């Protein structure tokens, strides 16, 4: 992203999609003279409000996607500095503790047409948010029943059948699912709630190469330090691979230790 913003054509960019790119710190945004749509979902941003506040064109931004990307305490202050926002995606950030601050921030943004709040814990505070929001602002707190996952050569569609049972379609055709986690299941549906919640929250995804292709989705991760001051990162991942007979979905955990 820093290379893109520092390039000679940065001033011409109207939309940037940097979701799931492993960005920890935003570069200076001043070169983005025409940018109106910014997608940063799935990154762990530490300086988003600082960079946005320093950006002279910030009030021209109409779409901001920071699903799972901001610290909860940074969300309300970030909303306060963006006066022109119309579409804001905050899914996957646990915001229940900050509900009053979020309500106040929304009340001061009458231009907002849509705010996505799936998996934020704000469902029980919806009445309070409804009272404070502008009349035209739509609050989305319920998860969709259908999700698309772009695998470049193929679009995989997850369809909720009931509760936590999801079917998978490719080219509108239901596919047989081989699901592996602590147990194994085979059939036309599988318990894919953890995966779909991560996708709703803008989880990072990496394409898998090989026969059929697929993707690896990072559903959640925690960073800690052990007794030897080594950083330990534990990630919950889902590997989705395609085969001629169906779709393989494997849920697993990976631990990385930095020496």
């Amino acid at each position: 992203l820093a290379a893109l913003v520092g390039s000679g054509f940065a001033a011409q960019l109207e939309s940037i999609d940097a979701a799931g790119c492993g960005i920890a710190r935003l570069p200076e945004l001043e070169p983005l003279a025409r940018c109106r749509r910014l997608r940063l979902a799935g990154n762990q941003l530490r300086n988003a409000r600082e960079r946005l506040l320093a950006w002279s064109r910030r009030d021209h931004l109409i779409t901001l996607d920071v699903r799972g990307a901001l610290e909860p305490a940074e969300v309300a202050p970030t909303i306060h500095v963006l006066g022109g926002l119309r579409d804001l995606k905050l899914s996957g950030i646990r915001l229940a503790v900050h509900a009053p601050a979020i309500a106040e921030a929304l009340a001061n943004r009458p231009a907002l047409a849509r705010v996505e709040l799936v998996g934020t814990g704000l469902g029980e505070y919806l009445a309070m948010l409804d009272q404070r929001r502008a009349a035209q602002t739509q609050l989305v707190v319920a998860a969709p029943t259908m999700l698309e996952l772009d695998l470049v050569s193929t679009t995989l569609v997850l369809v909720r059948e009931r509760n936590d049972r999801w079917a998978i379609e490719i080219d509108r055709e239901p596919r047989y699912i081989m699901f592996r986690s602590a147990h194994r299941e085979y059939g036309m549906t599988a318990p894919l709630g953890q995966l779909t919640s991560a996708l709703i929250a803008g989880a990072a995804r990496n394409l898998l190469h090989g026969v059929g292709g697929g993707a690896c989705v990072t559903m959640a991760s925690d960073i800690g330090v052990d007794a030897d001051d080594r950083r330990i990162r534990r990630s919950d991942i889902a590997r989705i691979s395609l085969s001629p007979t169906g779709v393989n979905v494997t849920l697993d955990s990976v631990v990385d230790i930095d020496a």
Side-chain angles (χ1 to χ4, degrees), residues 239-258:
R239 290 187 179 90
I240 306 167
S241 58
L242 312 183
S243 72
T245 57
V247 179
N248 297 286
V249 181
T250 304
L251 304 189
D252 204 354
S253 294
V254 176
V255 177
D256 293 317
I257 300 177
D258 295 337

Side-chain angles (χ1 to χ4, degrees), residues 61-119:
L61 193 68
I62 61 173
T63 299
L64 179 64
D65 182 355
V66 286
R67 292 172 294 164
L70 296 182
E71 290 293 326
E74 287 290 296
V75 171
T78 299
I79 297 174
H80 277 297
V81 303
L82 299 173
L85 275 184
R86 298 178 193 170
D87 185 8
L88 176 62
K89 295 184 178 181
L90 299 170
S91 294
I93 307 174
R94 305 304 296 178
L95 296 173
V97 174
H98 304 278
I102 299 296
E104 180 183 353
L106 294 179
N108 291 317
R109 287 290 167 260
L112 268 174
R114 184 179 185 276
V115 183
E116 183 187 294
L117 298 166
V118 179

Side-chain angles (χ1 to χ4, degrees), residues 8 12 33 60 74-75 96 98 136 150 166 181 192 209 228 233:
Q12 306 302 315
H60 292 262
E74 287 290 296
V75 171
H98 304 278
Q136 72 274 17
D150 182 7
W166 293 76
S181 59
L192 302 177
H209 300 289
D228 297 319
R233 184 185 186 93

Side-chain angles (χ1 to χ4, degrees), residues 84-246:
L85 275 184
R86 298 178 193 170
D87 185 8
L88 176 62
K89 295 184 178 181
L90 299 170
S91 294
I93 307 174
R94 305 304 296 178
L95 296 173
V97 174
H98 304 278
I102 299 296
E104 180 183 353
L106 294 179
N108 291 317
R109 287 290 167 260
L112 268 174
R114 184 179 185 276
V115 183
E116 183 187 294
L117 298 166
V118 179
T120 59
L122 287 176
E124 60 185 288
Y125 298 95
L126 189 57
M128 179 180 69
L129 295 172
D130 266 335
Q131 289 177 348
R132 300 297 304 278
R133 67 178 173 86
Q136 72 274 17
T137 304
Q138 176 191 12
L139 302 179
V140 181
V141 297
T145 58
M146 182 178 294
L147 288 168
E148 290 190 358
L149 181 59
D150 182 7
L151 302 181
V152 182
S153 60
T154 300
T155 298
L156 183 148
V157 179
L158 295 102
V159 182
R160 189 200 305 271
E161 296 290 333
R162 64 187 186 280
N163 298 325
D164 189 30
R165 305 297 302 191
W166 293 76
I168 292 180
E169 297 179 358
I170 299 176
D171 299 330
R172 299 184 180 180
E173 291 292 332
R175 297 302 176 98
Y176 192 79
I177 303 172
M178 288 136 289
F179 175 74
R180 298 174 178 83
S181 59
H183 59 284
R184 295 187 178 188
E185 289 193 24
Y186 305 88
M188 300 306 295
T189 66
L192 302 177
Q194 187 180 4
L195 171 59
T196 55
S197 294
L199 292 173
I200 292 167
R205 106 184 132 77
N206 296 310
L207 295 179
L208 298 176
H209 300 289
V211 178
C216 179
V217 178
T218 302
M219 299 182 295
S221 61
D222 295 306
I223 297 178
V225 179
D226 66 9
D228 297 319
D229 289 333
R230 295 177 301 181
R231 283 165 53 89
I232 299 177
R233 184 185 186 93
R234 178 185 178 276
S235 301
D236 294 328
I237 62 172
R239 290 187 179 90
I240 306 167
S241 58
L242 312 183
S243 72
T245 57

